[in-house]
Amino acid sequence: QDDIKTGYRRMILLYHPDKNPDVTDDLFKAISKAFDTLSNPQKRRVYDSSEPFDDNIPSETLTKQVFDGKKDFYMVYGPVFQRFSMWSVAQPVPQIGDATSPWPQVEKFYKFWFEFKSWRDFSYAGEHNVDSADSRDEKRHMEKENEKERIKLKKQETIRLSKL
């Protein structure tokens, strides 16, 4: 958070239209909007959730190779669990370990993932821009449609994690 404030102040000094006449107002507004997004925890969560993310899980073919002993379980699944751990409400996230991990550590790992709670926010995925609505009824309809899409995406993520 302090890095964001420091970076913002530095950018404002460099790109403020009053101090640098070569800079457009649009650039200054973009810097201000970026700071507003990154400094507000709720907006930051939406922003982080909208960034590209590899949410693929190992295919059935790869999983079969793991259970046939042709691929190493920890090498295949370790990076996947590591990627998804960024969305965890609870931190720190227990790591997958290896074949020599003690049983309590293994139990802790699986208990954590069976009860996994994600903070991932799908509000960015709405098809409708509710700010462009002409009436209150239209806005409600748009919000309802966007909420359906968010629920669908959240459900897909839950299913994907349960398959993992």
Side-chain angles (χ1 to χ4, degrees):
Q1 194 69 343
D2 288 339
D3 290 343
I4 294 170
K5 284 182 186 176
T6 304
Y8 172 70
R9 288 185 184 127
R10 194 169 350 139
M11 296 301 281
I12 289 299
L13 288 173
L14 285 172
Y15 297 107
H16 194 285
D18 292 343
K19 297 193 184 266
N20 189 345
D22 297 334
V23 174
T24 64
D25 281 342
D26 292 340
L27 178 60
F28 181 73
K29 287 177 184 176
I31 293 168
S32 296
K33 184 176 181 185
F35 175 72
D36 180 49
T37 299
L38 296 176
S39 62
N40 179 318
Q42 194 65 23
K43 289 180 181 179
R44 174 71 184 260
R45 187 167 277 194
V46 172
Y47 172 78
D48 288 344
S49 297
S50 69
E51 285 294 290
F53 176 73
D54 177 11
D55 57 5
N56 292 316
I57 59 173
S59 66
E60 288 184 29
T61 306
L62 189 56
T63 301
K64 185 172 177 1
Q65 290 175 344
V66 166
F67 288 107
D68 288 346
K70 296 175 185 166
K71 297 276 185 181
D72 181 53
F73 175 82
Y74 303 99
M75 296 298 285
V76 171
Y77 284 92
V80 179
F81 282 108
Q82 184 66 40
R83 276 195 321 267
F84 277 96
S85 69
M86 76 175 280
W87 304 118
S88 177
V89 170
Q91 294 289 339
V93 176
Q95 297 303 306
I96 195 167
D98 58 29
T100 62
S101 298
W103 185 247
Q105 181 182 343
V106 174
E107 282 182 322
K108 181 180 177 183
F109 173 80
Y110 281 105
K111 182 179 184 329
F112 176 87
W113 285 99
F114 280 125
E115 299 171 356
F116 185 78
K117 300 276 187 275
S118 173
W119 59 259
R120 196 171 184 186
D121 186 329
F122 293 100
S123 60
Y124 67 89
E127 171 183 342
H128 304 287
N129 179 3
V130 295
D131 294 333
S132 68
D134 293 330
S135 68
R136 192 171 54 180
D137 290 335
E138 184 181 6
K139 185 175 182 176
R140 277 193 212 127
H141 174 73
M142 288 176 162
E143 287 172 341
K144 199 176 196 180
E145 291 296 312
N146 286 348
E147 185 61 26
K148 283 181 190 177
E149 183 66 18
R150 284 191 285 273
I151 290 169
K152 181 178 134 193
L153 290 170
K154 189 72 169 173
K155 203 176 276 188
Q156 287 173 350
E157 181 180 62
T158 303
I159 290 168
R160 192 172 29 256
L161 282 167
S162 67
K163 285 181 180 179
L164 184 58

